[in-house]
Amino acid sequence: LAYADKVEDLCQGRPPNEYFRLTTEGDCRDVVRCDRAGIAGTIRLASVKCPSGLAFDLERQTCDWKAKVDNCDRLSKPRRVKPNFNTDEPVCPDGNLQCGNGECISQAFFCDQKPDCAD
C-alpha cells in the first residue's frame, strides 16, 4: 500500500483540525492532523510534538502535564455522532434522524456503534 493511500485511509471522515496519534508507543507527545494542501487537495499529515514533560490530551486537543492526560493509550478522540433534534419542522421521513451534515439515516443506525453519518 502506498503512503498516499494510507494517509487517505487515516484521514477519511476525520475533521481537518483534529489531532490524533499514529501509535500509542513512546511518551505521548507526538500527534498529527490531516492537512489538505494546495489546489489539488493532496492530503498530508501535519505533525506536532508537545514540549518535554507534557503529553497530548486527545479529548481537549492540547498539550498538558503528563499526569493530567489519561488517554495516551488511545489513537484518536472517540467519535460521537449526534442526531439533529433541533429543527422547526420535520426534515426526515418517519423512522429517520438527521445527521449533523443534514443527511437522513435510519434511527437504528445511531446507536449501532458504527460511524454511519459522514460528519
Side-chain angles (χ1 to χ4, degrees), residues 44-105:
R44 63 184 181 193
L45 295 179
S47 63
V48 168
K49 185 175 191 122
C50 293
S52 185
L54 301 182
F56 193 85
D57 188 324
L58 291 171
E59 288 292 329
R60 293 183 296 124
Q61 294 283 295
T62 188
C63 295
D64 201 349
W65 297 110
K66 188 150 176 119
K68 289 181 158 188
V69 178
D70 63 359
N71 52 43
C72 288
D73 60 337
R74 290 203 318 254
L75 293 175
S76 63
K77 189 176 178 175
R79 297 258 171 264
R80 293 189 184 101
V81 176
K82 297 175 185 166
N84 182 10
F85 291 124
N86 190 15
T87 60
D88 293 332
E89 297 176 21
V91 291
C92 295
D94 283 348
N96 285 355
L97 292 173
Q98 186 183 43
C99 298
N101 67 354
E103 176 186 11
C104 293
I105 66 168

Side-chain angles (χ1 to χ4, degrees), residues 10 18-22 30-34 45-48:
L10 279 171
E18 180 184 301
Y19 287 93
F20 60 98
R21 292 186 184 90
L22 295 175
D30 298 295
V31 290
V32 295
R33 70 174 173 80
C34 299
L45 295 179
S47 63
V48 168

